[in-house]
Structures are given as C-alpha cells and as structure tokens.
Amino acid sequence: MIEKPQQSLGFFIFRQEQLFMEKKHLGFELSIFNSMDELSNTDALLLQEAEKARQNSYAPYSKFSVGAALLLESGKIIPGSNQENASFPAGLCAEGVAVFSAGANYPNEKIKAIAVTAASGSNNLTSPAAPCGICRQTIAEYEKKQGSPIQILMKGQTGPIYKCDSMADLLPLGFDGSFL
Ligand code: THU
C-alpha cells in the first residue's frame, strides 16, 4: 500500500509564511553619468572641489585617498579628506571630516549635496567607491537633523559618476534617533 506523505512542521510553517507575509522591495534610482561633461555645472564644480580636497588626504597606511566636498544651501563648499592614524580606529573618513566640519561651523545651514572621490595607491579605481557604512550612518543623521535629503555624487579615478538623491536611498531600513 502507498502511504500518503505526512505534512512536516516545516512545510506547515512555510505555507503559513506564504499566506501571511508581505514582501516589500526597497530599491532606489541611481543616475549614472559617463563623464564630468554630462553633469550640471554645480555638480561638476562640487566634484572638482572633492578632487581638490583629496589632495589633503593623509593616508600613509592604506594609500587610499578620499576627498569630499559638501554644498551648503548658502552655496558655501566644505571640504574633507580622510585622515589616518597609526592606531587605525582613530582615523576619520573624508565624508565624516566634511560633515562634522559643516555641523561644527555652520550648524544651522542645510547640506544640499556631498561629492566623494577616491583614488587607490595600488590599482586604478575605474568605478566610484561608495561611502562606507559608518559614513552612510553619519550623513543619514544630518538628513534627519535638517529634515531634507542630501544628494550623493561618487567618482573613482576614472570611469562613471554615480548620483543618488538621498542617503536614505543608500541606507534603507536605517537606524535613527526615533528608536532611542
Ligand atoms: N575611507 C573614506 O574616507 N571614506 C569611505 O567612505 C571609505 C573609506 C577611507 C578610510 C581610510 O583612511 C581609507 O579610506 C581606507 O579605508
């Protein structure tokens, strides 16, 4: 006699999930430009300022230099570059240096955009290095603080330029002060 297979608990749970769960897609739109020529004047200028800021990078350990430039609503541009330390955790990323500098010196001005550019000492960066997790968290905090999005522009040494409309796009389901 052929026996009917028993429904296992695993199968039951799977069925339950299929019936009740909801799936949400958390996607975002990335604009990709082939060269600086395709950017608006404001964006091109901000990236140039980030490239300039990168020249002040202090990265004797990683040989990976990063430059950032923030555009404030008044039109002021705030530079930052990564500053390393022999005790590695003491170093700061370029984005953090720029954002904290703006927060400390222009606490009431909104940040409209940040441009970030990176160069590696060991290989040619042909695509943008996106901000690290800590920088995403740092910038997301200022979006919350000012109540408006901060555009992000990213560039490697060569290759395309990426632009997205908000740090919330790059850090979906993020942690913020409302949880505290
Ligand atoms: N770095 C930045 O400045 N920004 C980032 O978003 C990623 C990493 C720096 C930190 C360190 O000085 C070097 O790049 C290598 O990790």
Side-chain angles (χ1 to χ4, degrees):
M1 190 181 110
I2 301 167
E3 273 187 37
K4 206 172 149 230
Q6 294 280 312
Q7 277 194 358
S8 70
L9 184 63
F11 177 76
F12 179 72
I13 291 170
F14 176 67
R15 280 293 302 255
Q16 290 281 318
E17 275 181 355
Q18 278 207 325
L19 287 176
F20 300 117
M21 78 167 172
E22 179 195 350
K23 281 199 178 186
K24 213 169 191 175
H25 180 71
L26 302 174
F28 75 99
E29 208 162 73
L30 184 70
S31 304
I32 302 173
F33 302 88
N34 292 312
S35 76
M36 300 272 270
D37 302 338
E38 295 180 6
L39 297 176
S40 68
N41 286 345
T42 311
D43 287 353
L45 183 85
L46 199 60
L47 256 180
Q48 279 161 12
E49 291 296 321
E51 304 251 346
K52 258 195 238 163
R54 189 163 56 74
Q55 289 165 19
N56 294 332
S57 154
Y58 174 62
Y61 305 105
S62 71
K63 313 262 188 285
F64 189 83
S65 57
V66 186
L70 292 190
L71 176 65
L72 302 184
E73 60 183 350
S74 62
K76 260 186 235 82
I77 290 177
I78 312 296
S81 53
N82 57 331
Q83 302 294 318
E84 297 186 348
N85 195 286
S87 172
F88 288 177
L92 280 180
C93 286
E95 298 91 318
V97 169
V99 170
F100 292 139
S101 170
N105 292 296
Y106 305 98
N108 301 316
E109 271 200 53
K110 289 187 178 181
I111 301 165
K112 287 178 71 175
I114 179 168
V116 186
T117 176
S120 165
S122 52
N123 58 317
N124 182 29
L125 272 191
T126 55
S127 61
C132 76
I134 294 175
C135 290
R136 292 179 198 214
Q137 184 72 27
T138 303
I139 297 167
E141 179 74 28
Y142 284 76
E143 280 192 342
K144 285 274 170 195
K145 178 185 173 221
Q146 68 185 34
S148 62
I150 297 172
Q151 295 180 338
I152 326 286
L153 281 158
M154 298 159 255
K155 185 181 171 293
Q157 278 157 280
T158 56
I161 296 145
Y162 294 167
K163 182 178 181 179
C164 67
D165 295 333
S166 159
M167 184 45 80
D169 285 348
L170 288 186
L171 190 62
L173 220 59
F175 180 80
D176 63 44
S178 69
F179 293 109
L180 298 176

